[in-house]
Amino acid sequence: SSSSGDEALRDKRARILSRGLPKQKPIEGVKQVVVVASGKGGVGKSTTAVNIALALAANDSTKEVGLLDADIYGPSIPKMMNLKGNPELTPKNLMRPLKNYGIACMSMGFLIEETAPVVWRGLMVMSAVEKLLRQVDWGQLDYLVIDMPPGTGDVQLSVSQNIPIAGAVIVSTPQDVALLDARKGAEMFRKVHVPVLGLVQNMSVFQCPKCKHETHIFGADGVKDLAKTLGLDILGDIPLHVNIRETCDSGQPVVISQPQSDAAKAYLKIAMEIVRRLPVAPA
């Protein structure tokens, strides 16, 4: 019958497709991977990733946390985490992450000159991502936070298909243009069977330091509306605050340098929400 013929064709297609996908292989020593992504650049994704990694460690001092900068073209983790230099190599020829504030960090920024542009084609970028995933000695980590590049291209697909990811966090401002791309990011992760833990609404409100008047520069409830549409949770709101920008630019992120501030508390709450939604880690 035609229906059994259709089924056979679908099975054949599925077999061919699955053959083309790399087999997911865990990163040695890493229990759970959390990716921080955004469809669009300039929404504060790296700032969010850095402060989430620090907040995960601050919320539970028994946990070891690592931070991987997968943005090959625009690595910003070295500056935000106040790290410079080249990684040492282990006897097994693996790179040792650089460490600050108790967080093990790896970035393309440690392997090139600070001002040198990465002018590479796709294959070279994929090779670099593979090295950052597979040729780093992370030791024993409870959480590895990956700061993804903006968009839904090769790097996102490669990371999602090569390693098991416990969950993705999507960062967006409430602005319509950013929300369009955030939605694409969430849908991409669903397509590759990565659980989306929730959305972070960044730069949600600006409070005038003099008169304390609050202004929703990028709009008010855009991310909340998107979360409702996608059936996802809002993990937290981060205000548009000069301290968040200044502390990251100076390599002293707000969670570390101003732990009692409202901004730091917002990141700590988001980290708690992330852990609550993660599957039980392997022992």
Side-chain angles (χ1 to χ4, degrees):
S1 73
S2 68
S3 67
S4 62
D6 288 348
E7 212 167 295
L9 192 60
R10 271 201 300 274
D11 284 350
K12 189 178 177 186
R13 271 195 200 135
R15 279 199 305 277
I16 291 167
L17 276 171
S18 65
R19 235 182 281 154
L21 291 178
K23 183 134 178 63
Q24 281 191 340
K25 189 173 144 214
I27 299 172
E28 199 172 327
V30 176
K31 284 186 184 171
Q32 290 187 306
V33 174
V34 175
V35 298
V36 178
S38 68
K40 195 167 195 59
V43 297
K45 170 189 50 62
S46 294
T47 302
T48 305
V50 163
N51 280 295
I52 282 174
L54 290 162
L56 285 167
N59 281 340
D60 187 345
S61 58
T62 67
K63 301 296 185 193
E64 292 293 329
V65 181
L67 180 59
L68 172 59
D69 187 350
D71 195 343
I72 304 298
Y73 292 116
S76 43
I77 298 304
K79 183 171 179 60
M80 290 183 178
M81 289 296 286
N82 198 21
L83 285 166
K84 271 187 178 157
N86 302 110
E88 293 174 3
L89 290 178
T90 68
K92 288 184 176 175
N93 228 24
L94 297 175
M95 293 180 284
R96 277 205 180 98
L98 275 62
K99 211 165 187 182
N100 198 10
Y101 309 124
I103 308 292
C105 301
M106 182 48 69
S107 169
M108 193 69 207
F110 300 146
L111 309 175
I112 55 169
E113 289 295 316
E114 193 176 4
T115 55
V118 177
V119 188
W120 287 354
R121 291 190 186 276
L123 280 172
M124 290 174 76
V125 172
M126 300 320 295
S127 169
V129 169
E130 183 67 20
K131 282 187 172 65
L132 291 174
L133 288 175
R134 298 286 174 211
Q135 293 181 20
V136 177
D137 179 8
W138 289 105
Q140 295 297 314
L141 292 183
D142 294 284
Y143 307 114
L144 175 62
V145 176
I146 301 185
D147 177 25
M148 295 284 241
T152 53
D154 286 347
V155 174
Q156 288 81 354
L157 278 173
S158 184
V159 171
S160 305
Q161 292 172 349
N162 270 291
I163 58 170
I165 296 171
V169 175
I170 309 286
V171 180
S172 182
T173 58
Q175 187 182 4
D176 286 351
V177 175
L179 292 165
L180 281 171
D181 291 342
R183 180 171 190 161
K184 288 175 193 165
E187 297 289 9
M188 184 213 75
F189 284 117
R190 283 178 166 172
K191 273 207 166 94
V192 292
H193 309 297
V194 170
V196 179
L197 303 175
L199 305 175
V200 170
Q201 180 161 267
N202 199 26
M203 308 184 202
S204 58
V205 65
F206 172 73
Q207 187 184 66
C208 174
K210 289 185 177 165
C211 70
K212 305 300 179 199
H213 175 71
E214 293 192 342
T215 308
H216 294 275
I217 291 172
F218 294 108
D221 293 319
V223 177
K224 289 190 176 80
D225 294 341
L226 177 62
K228 213 176 285 177
T229 306
L230 294 173
L232 293 170
D233 295 327
I234 293 267
L235 300 173
D237 271 274
I238 308 293
L240 178 61
H241 202 292
V242 68
N243 283 7
I244 298 174
R245 196 268 306 159
E246 283 177 349
T247 53
C248 263
D249 279 354
S250 66
Q252 299 173 313
V254 72
V255 167
I256 283 293
S257 56
Q258 299 174 13
Q260 296 309 312
S261 65
D262 288 345
K265 285 174 185 168
Y267 287 118
L268 292 163
K269 177 184 169 286
I270 288 167
M272 279 171 66
E273 292 296 327
I274 288 169
V275 170
R276 217 159 58 79
R277 287 164 172 76
L278 285 173
V280 177

